[in-house]
Amino acid sequence: MQEYQQERQLAEDKASTDPSIGFSELNSQDENQLLREQVDTLKLELSYQSQQLQQIQQELSNTNHDLCTALMAERLTLDEAKELAKEIVITQKPIRESLAQLLSAIYISPVESWELGCVPKPTLADNSRFSSEANKFNERFEVLKTRLTTFQDQLTRFKARREQLSVQIKTITETKE
């Protein structure tokens, strides 16, 4: 801005000493030059800012990648968790201990078996309830099985009837010819 003021002062001095240059003509030429310089300066600044933005985005991307890699390195993959579960089942440890070990491995946080509480053993009432529900399912299964057999019989009769009708249609069309 100081350059502009100095140039303007010089232009005014020149205009006052050289009557062939009109002040308004000089003024608009100076303003045009100043505007061009400002545009060039702003373009350079924009380019610089754009480069800085790209660098920051690249750094952010790299940091994000590094963080993801670090976090995933500690966690189990699904296949690893399945393999661990198989190993736990083979050892035949108590259920609470097995679950605590599996949760600790998956969530990378220690879980103690006592934190999972007491897993009650099934009682006689539970067994009778399960038995009652199983009987209901068996009864429903038998009903559906009977209905399926009925539908299969009907299908067989429909197929036989279709064959009879096909033969009759064929006979009728042959006699017409």
Side-chain angles (χ1 to χ4, degrees):
M1 223 29 180
Q2 286 180 341
E3 283 181 32
Y4 171 71
Q5 289 173 347
Q6 289 173 351
E7 288 178 12
R8 186 176 177 109
Q9 186 62 42
L10 287 174
E12 287 177 7
D13 291 343
K14 188 175 182 182
S16 64
T17 57
D18 188 358
S20 63
I21 299 176
F23 181 73
S24 62
E25 185 180 310
L26 182 63
N27 206 6
S28 65
Q29 286 176 353
D30 286 344
E31 284 183 31
N32 285 339
Q33 180 64 29
L34 177 64
L35 290 174
R36 282 190 197 104
E37 288 174 6
Q38 286 177 341
V39 167
D40 291 340
T41 303
L42 289 173
K43 284 181 182 178
L44 287 173
E45 180 67 23
L46 179 61
S47 173
Y48 175 73
Q49 293 292 332
S50 177
Q51 287 175 352
Q52 280 189 325
L53 178 62
Q54 286 176 351
Q55 288 174 347
I56 291 170
Q57 285 175 334
Q58 184 62 42
E59 286 178 27
L60 180 61
S61 176
N62 291 342
T63 302
N64 190 27
H65 177 68
D66 292 345
L67 283 173
C68 287
T69 302
L71 288 174
M72 295 309 289
E74 295 176 8
R75 287 204 164 196
L76 291 179
T77 64
L78 179 60
D79 291 333
E80 291 170 337
K82 286 179 182 178
E83 195 61 38
L84 178 60
K86 288 177 188 176
E87 291 172 13
I88 290 172
V89 168
I90 291 171
T91 63
Q92 296 183 349
K93 290 181 183 177
I95 292 173
R96 282 189 303 172
E97 288 179 31
S98 300
L99 289 175
Q101 183 181 357
L102 186 60
L103 290 171
S104 295
I106 291 173
Y107 293 103
I108 316 166
S109 178
V111 177
E112 297 296 328
S113 60
W114 59 266
E115 292 177 286
L116 299 176
C118 184
V119 179
K121 292 183 179 180
T123 63
L124 187 56
D126 291 332
N127 287 340
S128 66
R129 185 175 53 105
F130 293 138
S131 173
S132 171
E133 289 178 13
N135 287 337
K136 288 178 186 177
F137 283 120
N138 284 336
E139 289 172 8
R140 181 72 178 144
F141 175 74
E142 289 301 322
V143 169
L144 292 173
K145 189 175 168 184
T146 304
R147 288 180 68 188
L148 177 63
T149 305
T150 304
F151 287 137
Q152 287 175 335
D153 291 342
Q154 285 179 349
L155 179 62
T156 304
R157 286 191 305 245
F158 286 139
K159 285 181 179 178
R161 180 69 179 143
R162 186 186 69 191
E163 274 302 312
Q164 289 174 351
L165 292 174
S166 294
V167 170
Q168 287 177 353
I169 291 172
K170 187 176 181 182
T171 306
I172 292 172
T173 55
E174 289 176 356
T175 56
K176 285 189 177 180
E177 292 176 352

